[in-house]
Amino acid sequence: MIDLSISFLSKFPPYFRAMFEDKNPQRTPISSLGEFGLIDLLTENIKLKNPSTLTGIGDDAAVMDPGENVVLTSTDMLIEGIHFDLSYVPLKHLGYKAAVVNFSDIYAMNGKPTQLYVALAASNRFPVEALEEIYVGIRMACQVYGVDLAGGDTTASNSGLVLSLTANGLAKKEDVVYRKGAKATDLIVMSGDIGGAYMGLQVLEREKQVFLVNPNMQPELQGNEYVLERQLKPEARKDIPELLAALGTKPTAMIDISDGLSSEILHLCKNSNVGCRIYEERIPIDPTVYNLCEEFKMNSTTVALNGGEDYELLFTIPIEDHDKIKHNPSLTVIGHITKAEEGAYLITRAEQAIELTARGWNGLDESEGEEK
Ligand code: ADP
Ligand code: MG
């Protein structure tokens, strides 16, 4: 098994440097292999697991047999300096996360991811070993989620690294869950907890600043494993569609929480033409996230609403199904759907109704950074 646990970071001090330069003394220029040699190296020994993958890498196009199913497709593009910072994101983790966020989109449609395609562009700053690291993460994610790496494209870039991943998935047509479909009185439910990935990013940014001032300082990551893992190695909620099926309920609408709870709820409401009430006291936040919010003097509700990158699933179910889910430790009812005219509101602990906005809630943005 490849070690993708957070603890492995501490084995490679100093941590805050372009990771591959420090860890990997070998720096083979991409040009020495050429495009085809590189593709062969990155994709060697891939064994196809899904019967729907008739042909994977090695022909002009992959061949997929959806059988009785419909095909779900999702793409995500990641640009160095915009979506990731290689001074603290290990390449292995970058590959893992780039794959997992695509799988998350397929689960959010109530499907099962089956194939992954990887397009990458890298400048000559990246040795072959760096790309191999990324592929260790990508292949690990494919193994964990049972997905076939079925193709891609490889090219040079003038500067930096660009990764564009596309996942295909399958679902029975009648099982697909869209963003539309939520009805007034439906319950709003989410898996897991939120805010962790954002606080993990805050810790990494803080330690980067410390490192820039004094490169001999070792980053203080201990005690923050949970949020660092949420940021650097998120998991897609593969278990939730299975759990809901086992509990005998089907979401009326679903979305994954990639951009923050507030904007995702608004997407559901807009697509379903409904309103909502969510309750501040119901939002599931891990105790370590509360503690870090205190340390960083941030409002934990703002972090939960705006943070993003937690990749939990947010969905609505008919109120009649409440009994089926109410005691499940993986699920939290955070509110309910209303008619569109009633708007989209957060009800605070003080029972104040505050309109939700794509960036959190009106009135709190100004107080960001103030202690609660
Ligand atoms: P073409 O020129 O026909 O587009 P390529 O030479 O780019 O084909 O790719 C050859 C094969 O390798 C194809 O099956 C393609 O899907 C696969 N491939 C290319 N780059 C990657 C990559 N970065 N990751 C995975 N598969 C790749
Ligand atoms: Mg090509």
Side-chain angles (χ1 to χ4, degrees):
M1 261 309 238
I2 300 138
D3 188 4
L4 272 164
S5 63
I6 288 300
S7 59
F8 97 99
L9 296 176
S10 57
K11 292 183 209 147
F12 297 105
Y15 173 40
F16 289 100
R17 276 196 197 145
M19 306 281 297
F20 55 91
E21 285 174 26
D22 292 311
K23 280 190 327 211
N24 234 319
Q26 230 176 317
R27 291 181 56 84
T28 311
I30 295 173
S31 56
S32 72
L33 283 183
E35 184 189 334
F36 301 118
L38 178 65
I39 295 172
D40 284 348
L41 180 73
L42 296 178
T43 61
E44 70 185 0
N45 295 327
I46 285 180
K47 288 181 190 64
L48 302 175
K49 297 169 287 247
N50 284 295
S52 58
T53 320
L54 299 186
T55 301
I57 291 164
D59 215 314
D60 292 310
V63 184
M64 186 193 175
D65 179 4
E68 305 283 275
N69 303 295
V70 292
V71 180
L72 310 166
T73 305
S74 167
T75 297
D76 256 303
M77 193 175 220
L78 298 172
I79 314 276
E80 183 182 1
I82 307 240
H83 302 104
F84 59 89
D85 181 340
L86 287 179
S87 60
Y88 55 72
V89 176
L91 289 162
K92 206 187 284 183
H93 290 61
L94 178 65
Y96 191 87
K97 181 168 173 175
V100 164
V101 302
N102 274 290
F103 303 160
S104 176
D105 281 321
I106 304 293
Y107 293 120
M109 301 298 291
N110 206 28
K112 189 182 169 306
T114 43
Q115 289 83 21
L116 181 70
Y117 304 91
V118 180
L120 77 88
S123 71
N124 57 12
R125 197 174 110 236
F126 293 86
V128 169
E129 288 76 11
L131 303 184
E132 283 186 288
E133 279 283 298
I134 295 172
Y135 269 71
V136 168
I138 291 174
R139 292 171 78 150
M140 176 80 183
C142 285
Q143 188 188 320
V144 169
Y145 290 88
V147 172
D148 292 324
L149 180 55
D153 197 23
T154 310
T155 179
S157 111
N158 282 332
S159 71
L161 179 66
V162 176
L163 282 171
S164 175
L165 277 67
T166 300
N168 272 348
L170 298 176
K172 291 214 189 81
K173 193 172 187 177
E174 62 274 21
D175 288 345
V176 177
V177 176
Y178 297 88
R179 292 179 179 185
K180 62 180 186 202
K183 300 263 174 327
T185 78
D186 280 357
L187 297 174
I188 303 172
V189 187
M190 57 166 289
S191 63
D193 54 68
I194 48 170
Y198 183 79
M199 292 320 290
L201 186 63
Q202 300 310 305
V203 170
L204 288 165
E205 289 282 353
R206 177 181 70 190
E207 297 307 317
K208 180 185 176 180
Q209 295 313 317
V210 172
F211 176 80
L212 290 175
V213 173
N214 181 356
N216 295 319
M217 287 282 282
Q218 277 304 298
E220 276 182 47
L221 301 174
Q222 228 135 49
N224 293 321
E225 288 82 359
Y226 179 68
V227 296
L228 290 169
E229 185 137 359
R230 295 290 277 173
Q231 170 58 224
L232 293 174
K233 192 184 168 254
E235 299 291 357
R237 293 308 301 256
K238 179 185 202 298
D239 56 319
I240 298 298
E242 288 163 16
L243 173 68
L244 295 176
L247 293 173
T249 182
K250 186 189 162 195
T252 48
M254 184 151 63
I255 190 168
D256 69 330
I257 308 178
S258 51
D259 293 338
L261 182 62
S262 188
S263 84
E264 310 301 3
I265 287 184
L266 289 174
H267 282 313
L268 279 191
C269 288
K270 186 167 174 247
N271 282 268
S272 299
N273 192 27
V274 293
C276 73
R277 294 275 178 288
I278 61 164
Y279 297 87
E280 184 181 24
E281 62 184 6
R282 296 287 197 97
I283 299 173
I285 297 176
D286 190 81
T288 58
V289 173
Y290 278 122
N291 292 341
L292 276 167
C293 284
E294 227 162 82
E295 200 180 319
F296 280 82
K297 304 209 183 316
M298 287 178 173
N299 181 298
S300 57
T301 303
T302 308
V303 166
L305 289 174
N306 300 348
E309 293 201 291
D310 291 301
Y311 300 100
E312 294 295 342
L313 291 175
L314 174 75
F315 54 92
T316 52
I317 59 160
I319 192 161
E320 303 81 64
D321 285 355
H322 188 208
D323 283 348
K324 296 181 183 168
I325 57 132
K326 72 179 173 194
H327 295 306
N328 199 289
S330 302
L331 305 175
T332 309
V333 177
I334 59 169
H336 59 87
I337 297 293
T338 61
K339 292 200 182 105
E341 315 78 89
E342 293 174 54
Y345 286 92
L346 174 83
I347 312 301
T348 67
R349 288 193 184 83
E351 291 182 16
Q352 226 190 321
I354 298 176
E355 190 165 19
L356 286 170
T357 67
R359 280 204 46 78
W361 49 1
N362 281 328
L364 238 192
D365 290 345
E366 302 93 72
S367 62
E368 217 168 12
E370 267 172 42
E371 212 157 356
K372 227 174 60 177

